[in-house]
């Protein structure tokens, strides 16, 4: 069983590219999540306990992580936690492993620039999946959820505070 967890911490070392048994790509790194407390006697913040997590990032998310993340950067990560017991001849312990479902820079400490990953079959000037429209902007299909079935032409599924998703016409659509 694994629990869903959100972590905010610093990348401890360089990201490593590893491979699964099936040949898939995995990004692996360690994340330090520290606690800071106010020392009232000294009137300053001090570092308290730090937890370390082994992070694995699979697939396209892992490939993007390898290109985007670096040692020392602060990130926000959401994923599935698994505690694993281990033992050697001299020690016993528990390792906290996380498989990341989403990851990005913590914008409280800096800025970042988003750059869409080009699709292998993307062709400039086409309105196909991953392509661009005649105005050079990404087509509607380029912003779709991977693996989602396309909606019929002229119908946009709205997600909001209502009782559920509802079909609206493109004229009723707002960007927020």
């Amino acid at each position: 069983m694994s629990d869903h967890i959100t972590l905010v911490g610093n990348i401890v070392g360089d990201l490593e590219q590893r491979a699964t048994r099936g040949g898939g790509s995995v990004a692996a790194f360690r994340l330090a999540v520290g606690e800071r407390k106010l020392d009232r006697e000294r009137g300053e913040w001090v570092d308290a306990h730090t937890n370390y997590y082994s992070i694995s990032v699979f697939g396209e998310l892992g490939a993007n992580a390898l290109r985007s993340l670096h040692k020392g950067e602060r990130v926000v990560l959401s994923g599935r936690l698994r505690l694993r017991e281990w033992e050697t001849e001299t020690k016993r312990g528990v390792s906290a492993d996380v498989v990341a479902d989403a990851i990005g820079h913590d914008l409280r400490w800096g800025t970042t620039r988003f750059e869409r990953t080009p699709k292998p079959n993307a062709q400039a000037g086409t309105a196909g999946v991953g392509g661009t429209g005649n105005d050079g902007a990404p087509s509607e299909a380029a912003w779709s959820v991977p693996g989602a079935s396309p909606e019929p032409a002229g119908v946009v599924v709205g997600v909001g505070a209502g009782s559920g998703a509802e079909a609206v016409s493109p004229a009723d659509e707002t960007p927020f």
Side-chain angles (χ1 to χ4, degrees):
M1 183 178 130
S2 58
D3 299 318
H4 290 276
I5 186 170
T6 299
L7 301 170
V8 179
N10 290 14
I11 298 173
V12 175
D14 293 326
L15 277 74
E16 297 178 24
Q17 184 172 7
R18 298 181 182 166
T20 64
R21 290 183 186 123
S25 179
V26 180
F29 62 95
R30 297 204 13 101
L31 188 71
V33 178
E35 181 181 359
R36 293 186 50 87
K37 293 184 177 182
L38 179 62
D39 183 339
R40 295 191 187 274
E41 291 178 9
R42 297 190 307 192
E44 61 186 39
W45 288 92
V46 295
D47 290 327
H49 183 74
T50 300
N51 288 322
Y52 293 90
Y53 297 86
S54 297
I55 310 296
S56 298
V57 192
F58 292 87
E60 189 67 27
L61 180 60
N64 288 339
L66 286 165
R67 288 190 294 270
S68 303
L69 305 176
H70 305 283
K71 177 181 177 178
E73 293 179 342
R74 190 150 178 96
V75 297
V76 178
L77 180 141
S78 176
R80 293 162 282 147
L81 171 69
R82 182 179 305 161
L83 299 177
R84 184 175 46 87
E85 294 183 35
W86 55 269
E87 182 175 352
T88 65
E89 292 178 13
T90 58
K91 288 194 219 180
R92 293 176 56 159
V94 176
S95 174
D97 299 336
V98 176
V99 175
D101 294 323
I103 188 168
H105 289 106
D106 183 352
L107 298 180
R108 170 178 265 177
W109 303 101
T111 62
T112 190
R113 181 179 176 278
F114 178 78
E115 185 177 316
R116 181 163 297 283
T117 305
K119 300 291 182 199
N121 62 349
Q123 296 176 0
T126 66
V129 173
T132 58
N134 294 336
D135 60 355
S139 68
E140 191 66 32
W143 291 96
S144 64
V145 176
S149 61
E151 295 297 325
V155 175
V156 177
V157 175
V159 178
S163 61
E166 57 187 73
V168 296
S169 72
D172 295 334
E173 181 184 3
T174 60
F176 300 105

